[in-house]
Amino acid sequence: MPFVQAVQPEAWATLVQFAGGRLEVAERDFVKIVAKELDQRGVLDVLRNGVKDRGVRIRLAYFRPAHTVAEDALAEYQQNRLSVTRQLRYGADSTKTLDLALFVNGIPVATAELKNPLTNQTVEDAKEQYRHDRDPKELLFARRALVHFAVDPELVFVTTRLRGKDTVFLPFNRGTGGAGNVGGAGNPVVEDDGSGYRTAYLWEETWQFDNWLDLLKRFLHVEDPTTSRSRGRANGRTSVHDRPLIFPRYHQWHAVRRLTEHAARHGSGNNYLVMHSAGSGKSNTIGWLAHRLSTLHGSAEPGTLDADAVSDARIAANEPVFHKVVVITDRSVLDKQLQDTIYQFDHTPGVVERITGIGGSKSSEVAKALANTATKIVIVTVQTFPYVLEGVSSLADKRIAVIVDEAHSGQSGDSVTKLKKVLRGLGAEESGDDDDPLTSSAMARGRHPNLSYFAFTATPKSKTLQLFGIDDAVGNKRAFHIYSMRQAIEEGFILDVLRNYTTYKTYWRIAKEGADDIEVNPDKAGSELARLVYLDPATMLAHAEVILRHFQANTRRQMGGRAKAMVVTRSRESAVRMYQALRQKVDDLSIADPGVLVAFSGNLTVDGVEYTEPGINGLSESELPDAFAYTRADDPNARARTAGKDGAPERTEYRILVVADKYQTGFDQPLLTTMYVEKPLASVAAVQTLSRLNRTHPLKSQEDLFVLDFANEAEDIQAAFKPYYEEAVTTPVDPNLLYPKQRAVMDHQLILESELEAFAEAYLASQPGSLVEDGGRSWERKHADLYRHIDPAAARFERLSSEDREAAELFRSDLSDYVRKYGFLAQVMQFTDADLERLYLYGKHLLNRLPSRRNPSLDIGDIDLTHLRVSKTGEHDVGLEQEGEQLLPGFDDGSAGIARDPKTALLSELIEDFNNRYGLGLSEADKLMYEERVTAAIEDPDLQQAALASRNEGDFEMPFNKRFQDIMVERAEADTKFTEKYFSDSEFQSRLTREARKAAYRMIRRRHNVPDGG
């Protein structure tokens, strides 16, 4: 009440007048109105937007304005009254007290329980006190305080909802390395000049006047249940007090503050790399950052603005730092989340616009969003980002912040260069160098003063660090802000996917008639042989059986029967064949159908039949994620569906998803516990793929996670994870390495300076006229006139190739190496060189004109898989330990390598080499003994009768296994060593019996024209 009376005297006088001049009546009525509004709308909305009483608006809090142009801009803000009450008695009928309660202008917003280890109490006791000694139905906890802190001198935990014994607390700690640095769970050791407590940041920083009000204004938000993936779609309205309230984790709050504080001082033209692990809450962090950047103004504090940024017009006091914020993301939930969150912050509709192309062209949609002054944030996908270029004509002299979700080097290449060139063409760059079009073209590849990039990724590559990283004290490139995989695991936000890693190896022998007469490139033919082996039905069925037996024995029962598995295959064809093999093996083994889905892109023809993902699954691609997420255990209508009662439609539960280059990044399914890997994985791909398993769930434990890998070594996967467990850094590049590359190209004397200059003039002349009108697309067109200047060099190359093929290929290699390196280095160079740009432009076009290399035959044809064995090779715990930063290899300063004539080898020699490497332990005698005993089983009358009477191979198992052991005994004298191995090696016996049963079952039924399936 004192706050309202002091800060809004005119409004308060009106309320007193409404009360007939009686102060006590006005105060009583106003308290009732505020209490009613708090009950209906919640504390956050009331603090941010105030209340109305008979047309009079009363503010309950004033938040810091975006700028301070007016002299008294901060007057009302500074009159906010933040108070702390100790030992607050919070219930009318209770003597219980809270250690601390925090108020903003008399409205309770937070509580805290403080514990002291010296009295044998820790933060865990504070949590238990909230869970068991604080009634969630009490008014303070149910409808008033927004957040509750459990604190001791070492750790801080926070919750926004008391639920009795089910109350969930999340860490609000800085990490052992300090906020934004490498570390684990907890807080850093106190410095000598510190307060003595590791958790002092809570009251010194978080609860500090400006920071606490900023948290309430810009960070806390109520989650809309209709956009919450974890809660599903809500029916009807949900009370604000029953909806999840999001309070930032410390690293999220710290990252947004650091990024925006730097931008508010240094303006546009800077790049920022945020290395935040899976489980860090990147969607919320990006949302908070996008909103903050959209309202960010240059600091007005004297001496805080960077002098160079001010002189370059990249920032000005009390002026917007950025005029537009472009978010590049494929997270479909992000746009709705941003819209809902930002509306809570300032009740301004239309601030966020997602480019979809629905109901019109994407280019017109972008143009409208960019031209609309109300639209501050534009959300696009990587694929639709180029459409931003077509509408960028309205952005001359405007500054743009680009937030890149899951950044990698592919998102910072030619499309970004186009945006920079368009801005320069619109006069955004006022430099004398613009008089030289070639220099301007080169400058477009470097940093642009009007663009700032905020790149988020958990797995930065070396190039990503080069493009977006900052220089550290020793000159390496590193991320601006870090929340490590190690900290996320230790804090319990993700699970460690490397702790239970089992490897299998496939051994084989192959044969091909006429292989002695076929010459092939051994490198390419080797890959093709491996591909054919893995696509062979025998291999697929063997792997499918291992998968299904493991799933039945382990995954099926996990999480109360909810657990899911993913099979990661090598290719689209591999995915289709694995799906078919799994379906067949379900029948062969007579096991309950786990429900199998397959995911791949486009159309595919296999064995003359065309397949699509929707055609196989009977679901559209957009329906697959929800179908895979469905579980009978969580379906209240499951029994009715099964019995067909009450009109409940049937619904299939799917437990296994087979994928080919889909759902291996960004797929967030907490029910996934098991992954079967059929595909070689390395580097970032290994981390991103296996990380599909790391999501947490209340019913999911670390022990549930399991990886069964047919294609990789556990130690190689561990090495791939190591750079991203804590921090990845890389060494800076030396742009001067381009000059030796330039000389290497020119020393071949196939390119003439006169032709270079003529081409550059023709190329640049084709740009300006249509640059703006068609969004910059003209530079992509291959004009016939340009090749008039390239064809002479192409002809010289062909002549050289006919005379000295190795010399010609050395030129091609040197030119490719130069073009590749310049294309990247030009983005990080701090200087421009017209000669280098000229050779780059010319070289890109010339490479397209050179004749392709001749390769020897790769027509291997069909092969025969004569031997096959799939064996477990080990069970591993390859979880990582604390080792600190990992240095990624720097940008390659070697050559691309000479592309000499490919070596050739006889296919028969290659097959023999493959058999030696992958056919270990399968002798010719093994093969003959095996075939002899299978033939005996096929000829056995009792087994013939059993096979014909069986509904499937599973029914055939019992009679076959017993009779097959008798056959082995009867023929023991033929090869005692083979028989001894059969009865002494259980794995060998099981594998041999299984394969023999399968072969006998099918051969018998086919002889009698009976289908395999029954």
Side-chain angles (χ1 to χ4, degrees):
M1 198 69 65
F3 167 77
V4 174
Q5 295 168 346
V7 183
Q8 301 163 86
E10 294 181 2
W12 178 249
T14 303
L15 295 186
V16 173
Q17 185 179 351
F18 289 159
R22 292 174 294 176
L23 181 63
E24 68 280 3
V25 174
E27 290 179 346
R28 183 192 64 205
D29 291 347
F30 182 67
V31 168
K32 287 182 178 179
I33 289 174
V34 172
K36 180 181 178 182
E37 293 293 299
L38 290 172
D39 288 339
Q40 292 180 346
R41 294 161 47 204
V43 169
L44 263 187
D45 192 44
V46 169
L47 281 176
R48 288 171 177 168
N49 300 292
V51 299
K52 276 192 174 183
D53 181 7
R54 287 165 285 187
V56 179
R57 185 186 183 195
I58 302 293
R59 301 290 299 268
L60 276 302
Y62 284 93
F63 295 98
R64 188 181 183 93
H67 56 78
T68 55
V69 175
E71 288 187 15
D72 60 347
L74 299 178
E76 294 168 327
Y77 166 73
Q78 291 169 342
Q79 293 191 63
N80 284 302
R81 303 185 181 190
L82 275 61
S83 57
V84 179
T85 299
R86 298 181 59 190
Q87 301 303 319
L88 175 71
R89 182 176 172 180
Y90 57 85
D93 302 323
S94 172
T95 59
K96 294 181 179 180
T97 61
L98 281 160
D99 286 343
L100 293 180
L102 278 63
F103 296 82
V104 172
N105 300 323
I107 296 177
V109 293
T111 71
E113 292 289 356
L114 313 180
K115 300 303 171 186
N116 184 359
L118 296 179
T119 59
N120 295 318
Q121 287 191 311
T122 70
V123 71
E124 295 303 321
D125 295 290
K127 293 180 187 177
E128 289 304 297
Q129 191 169 16
Y130 272 120
R131 288 185 178 119
H132 301 290
D133 199 39
R134 300 290 180 250
D135 185 355
K137 296 179 183 178
E138 285 280 0
L139 180 65
L140 178 65
F141 304 125
R143 294 176 178 269
R144 293 298 183 265
L146 298 167
V147 60
H148 311 281
F149 294 92
V151 189
D152 71 11
E154 305 288 323
L155 299 169
V156 178
F157 286 82
V158 66
T159 185
T160 57
R161 180 66 49 83
L162 296 188
R163 301 179 186 275
K165 63 182 179 60
D166 297 323
T167 300
V168 176
F169 282 89
L170 300 180
F172 190 73
N173 299 306
R174 300 166 64 200
T176 55
N181 300 315
V182 175
N187 287 300
V189 175
V190 178
E191 297 179 3
D192 293 339
D193 58 349
S195 69
Y197 297 112
R198 294 190 183 196
T199 53
Y201 63 89
L202 180 63
W203 51 89
E204 293 176 354
E205 184 182 6
T206 307
W207 292 346
Q208 186 267 343
F209 182 95
D210 296 301
N211 292 338
W212 187 239
L213 286 174
D214 189 64
L215 265 167
L216 295 174
K217 168 63 177 175
R218 302 185 188 279
F219 287 87
L220 272 74
H221 71 270
V222 178
E223 191 174 64
D224 184 350
T226 64
T227 59
S228 171
R229 289 170 293 179
S230 60
R231 294 173 62 92
R233 184 165 293 280
N235 294 319
R237 290 185 177 274
T238 303
S239 167
V240 67
H241 302 290
D242 294 328
R243 290 161 60 182
L245 176 65
I246 305 301
F247 187 87
R249 286 148 62 186
Y250 190 87
H251 73 271
Q252 295 174 308
W253 179 56
H254 186 266
V256 174
R257 287 175 58 218
R258 271 203 68 199
L259 290 164
T260 54
E261 285 172 2
H262 190 277
R265 286 167 168 74
H266 298 274
S268 61
N270 297 290
N271 291 344
Y272 307 88
L273 179 62
V274 182
M275 185 180 172
H276 279 194
S277 165
S280 67
K282 279 197 288 286
S283 289
N284 278 328
T285 306
I286 289 172
W288 286 317
L289 177 63
H291 173 252
R292 186 69 186 98
L293 292 175
S294 71
T295 60
L296 187 66
H297 284 63
S299 174
E301 296 179 21
T304 58
L305 295 184
D306 179 74
D308 291 337
V310 172
S311 64
D312 293 341
R314 292 186 284 117
I315 196 167
N318 281 324
E319 294 287 333
V321 178
F322 301 106
H323 301 93
K324 295 288 180 183
V325 179
V326 177
V327 182
I328 306 175
T329 181
D330 286 324
R331 298 172 194 253
S332 58
V333 71
L334 192 58
D335 60 324
K336 184 67 165 67
Q337 182 177 312
L338 269 171
Q339 289 168 348
D340 293 340
T341 302
I342 290 173
Y343 186 74
Q344 290 181 39
F345 293 151
D346 54 22
H347 276 206
T348 304
V351 172
V352 181
E353 185 72 35
R354 184 178 185 90
I355 306 306
T356 62
I358 299 174
S361 71
K362 291 179 181 177
S363 57
S364 61
E365 199 175 341
V366 168
K368 182 179 179 181
L370 294 177
N372 186 352
T373 55
T375 300
K376 301 295 185 183
I377 302 170
V378 181
I379 303 179
V380 299
T381 64
V382 176
Q383 291 74 29
T384 57
F385 178 54
Y387 290 94
V388 172
L389 309 177
E390 298 186 7
V392 82
S393 59
S394 61
L395 299 182
D397 299 320
K398 303 297 183 184
R399 294 182 291 271
I400 307 170
V402 180
I403 300 176
V404 186
D405 184 11
E406 284 306 323
H408 57 79
S409 57
Q411 292 172 338
S412 54
D414 283 346
S415 63
V416 175
T417 300
K418 281 187 260 181
L419 178 57
K420 294 172 183 174
K421 289 182 72 172
V422 169
L423 289 171
R424 284 200 168 85
L426 293 169
E429 172 67 23
E430 295 182 4
S431 168
D433 289 332
D434 280 358
D435 295 334
D436 177 0
L438 199 60
T439 301
S440 179
S441 175
M443 289 175 64
R445 303 183 193 284
R447 289 193 178 185
H448 191 285
N450 284 27
L451 290 177
S452 283
Y453 280 86
F454 300 81
F456 284 76
T457 182
T459 52
K461 300 177 182 177
S462 178
K463 285 187 176 182
T464 312
L465 286 161
Q466 298 286 359
L467 289 170
F468 301 116
I470 59 173
D471 296 320
D472 65 12
V474 297
N476 287 332
K477 292 285 187 178
R478 66 187 337 114
F480 184 85
H481 198 277
I482 299 166
Y483 177 76
S484 67
M485 183 189 299
R486 172 192 160 199
Q487 187 171 345
I489 291 172
E490 291 183 6
E491 290 186 339
F493 288 104
I494 58 173
L495 301 172
D496 189 343
V497 301
L498 300 181
R499 304 312 296 263
N500 195 359
Y501 207 99
T502 296
T503 51
Y504 274 67
K505 195 163 186 177
T506 303
Y507 302 100
W508 65 74
R509 292 180 70 87
I510 56 179
K512 178 174 178 60
E513 186 176 350
D516 287 333
D517 301 322
I518 302 175
E519 284 194 351
V520 294
N521 177 340
D523 294 331
K524 294 186 177 180
S527 300
E528 180 65 8
L529 284 175
R531 187 186 74 85
L532 292 173
V533 167
Y534 275 99
L535 288 175
D536 189 280
T539 308
M540 285 289 173
L541 288 168
H543 287 193
E545 181 166 342
V546 171
I547 289 169
L548 288 171
R549 288 186 182 278
H550 176 270
F551 184 89
Q552 285 294 107
N554 300 278
T555 308
R556 182 175 58 85
R557 295 188 296 271
Q558 290 175 348
M559 300 179 68
R562 297 171 176 83
K564 312 276 186 178
M566 177 181 285
V567 184
V568 180
T569 64
R570 296 169 175 245
S571 64
R572 296 188 304 155
E573 181 178 355
S574 179
V576 171
R577 292 190 185 277
M578 175 55 70
Y579 171 84
Q580 294 170 336
L582 289 168
R583 300 300 322 156
Q584 180 176 324
K585 274 296 173 184
V586 167
D587 295 336
D588 291 349
L589 299 175
S590 297
I591 61 175
D593 188 353
V596 183
L597 291 168
V598 64
F600 62 92
S601 301
N603 300 345
L604 178 68
T605 300
V606 177
D607 296 333
V609 179
E610 186 173 290
Y611 295 97
T612 64
E613 177 188 310
I616 294 176
N617 295 328
L619 300 164
S620 70
E621 292 188 40
S622 61
E623 291 173 324
L624 189 147
D626 285 340
F628 187 58
Y630 170 77
T631 63
R632 288 195 188 99
D634 296 317
D635 183 358
N637 300 314
R639 288 190 177 181
R641 293 183 195 281
T642 303
K645 296 179 180 179
D646 303 324
E650 285 190 35
R651 185 157 189 191
T652 303
E653 182 178 40
Y654 298 99
R655 304 284 297 278
I656 299 176
L657 176 62
V658 182
V659 301
D661 295 324
K662 289 185 76 173
Y663 297 106
Q664 287 169 237
T665 60
F667 181 51
D668 190 359
Q669 177 45 262
L671 298 179
L672 271 176
T673 65
T674 307
M675 182 172 288
Y676 305 104
V677 182
E678 291 270 319
K679 175 183 180 179
L681 296 170
S683 186
V684 170
V687 179
Q688 292 179 334
T689 299
L690 294 175
S691 293
R692 298 313 98 211
L693 298 181
N694 67 18
R695 282 10 183 211
T696 59
H697 186 282
L699 299 176
K700 186 175 177 181
S701 70
Q702 178 66 56
E703 289 69 32
D704 290 329
L705 264 60
F706 186 88
V707 179
L708 194 156
D709 197 329
F710 294 98
N712 305 279
E713 298 295 339
E715 294 77 13
D716 295 337
I717 296 297
Q718 183 187 51
F721 267 76
K722 188 171 288 188
Y724 308 112
Y725 183 64
E726 293 184 285
E727 180 185 11
V729 301
T730 194
T731 55
V733 296
D734 176 13
N736 284 325
L737 67 84
L738 285 171
Y739 293 113
K741 304 299 178 187
Q742 179 193 29
R743 287 194 298 273
V745 172
M746 299 304 293
D747 284 349
H748 287 280
Q749 300 181 38
L750 292 180
I751 298 176
L752 304 182
E753 284 288 348
S754 58
E755 292 169 356
L756 266 178
E757 294 176 3
F759 171 84
E761 289 176 7
Y763 176 83
L764 294 170
S766 69
Q767 307 306 295
S770 55
L771 181 62
V772 176
E773 359 176 301
D774 71 355
R777 289 181 172 177
S778 61
W779 78 276
E780 294 176 342
R781 299 175 187 146
K782 307 301 183 186
H783 299 298
D785 186 54
L786 293 179
Y787 291 108
R788 184 167 57 84
H789 304 289
I790 290 175
D791 287 342
R796 287 190 287 272
F797 174 86
E798 292 195 43
R799 285 197 299 273
L800 178 62
S801 183
S802 63
E803 299 167 0
D804 186 345
R805 180 162 181 77
E806 187 166 312
E809 289 304 326
L810 179 57
F811 166 77
R812 188 204 302 267
S813 173
D814 288 340
L815 183 59
S816 298
D817 189 40
Y818 175 82
V819 167
R820 179 178 65 87
K821 286 182 168 59
Y822 182 87
F824 171 72
L825 289 174
Q827 298 178 68
V828 297
M829 291 192 312
Q830 300 299 313
F831 67 93
T832 60
D833 188 317
D835 291 337
L836 296 177
E837 175 74 7
R838 182 187 295 113
L839 180 57
Y840 170 75
L841 295 173
Y842 184 90
K844 274 184 66 175
H845 289 77
L846 177 57
L847 286 170
N848 291 330
R849 299 291 277 181
L850 299 183
S852 59
R853 298 185 180 98
R854 296 191 299 272
N855 289 320
S857 168
L858 265 182
D859 185 13
I860 292 176
D862 295 328
I863 61 170
D864 296 321
L865 185 61
T866 60
H867 302 62
L868 179 69
R869 187 178 76 197
V870 179
S871 299
K872 182 191 294 186
T873 56
E875 296 177 353
H876 314 270
D877 178 350
V878 288
L880 293 164
E881 302 296 333
Q882 176 182 346
E883 293 185 18
E885 68 181 39
Q886 299 293 312
L887 185 66
L888 294 176
F891 185 70
D892 176 25
D893 61 354
S895 68
I898 302 172
R900 296 185 174 89
D901 286 334
K903 296 178 181 178
T904 60
L906 289 176
L907 183 58
S908 59
E909 296 171 351
L910 193 62
I911 288 175
E912 182 180 359
D913 177 62
F914 258 58
N915 287 338
N916 290 335
R917 281 190 287 152
Y918 300 110
L920 301 177
L922 292 174
S923 68
E924 198 63 32
D926 286 345
K927 178 186 176 185
L928 294 174
M929 291 301 102
Y930 168 73
E931 289 178 347
E932 192 270 338
R933 283 152 178 75
V934 172
T935 300
I938 293 172
E939 301 298 334
D940 187 273
D942 291 339
L943 288 182
Q944 289 182 12
Q945 184 176 356
L948 295 173
S950 297
R951 294 169 300 174
N952 51 49
E953 189 183 324
D955 291 347
F956 187 53
E957 181 173 0
M958 184 177 293
F960 178 87
N961 289 4
K962 184 177 184 304
R963 180 65 186 119
F964 191 66
Q965 284 201 358
D966 294 339
I967 291 172
M968 291 295 297
V969 172
E970 292 167 4
R971 284 159 177 75
E973 293 182 1
D975 189 319
T976 55
K977 186 176 180 181
F978 185 80
T979 305
E980 286 176 5
K981 185 177 181 181
Y982 177 83
F983 284 106
S984 63
D985 186 337
S986 60
E987 183 182 348
F988 179 75
Q989 181 185 115
S990 175
R991 175 173 53 81
L992 189 69
T993 303
R994 186 166 61 246
E995 293 300 324
R997 181 179 67 244
K998 177 177 64 177
Y1001 177 75
R1002 294 190 177 174
M1003 186 63 71
I1004 292 170
R1005 294 178 70 88
R1006 288 172 185 174
R1007 283 184 178 181
H1008 292 80
N1009 295 319
V1010 178
D1012 293 350

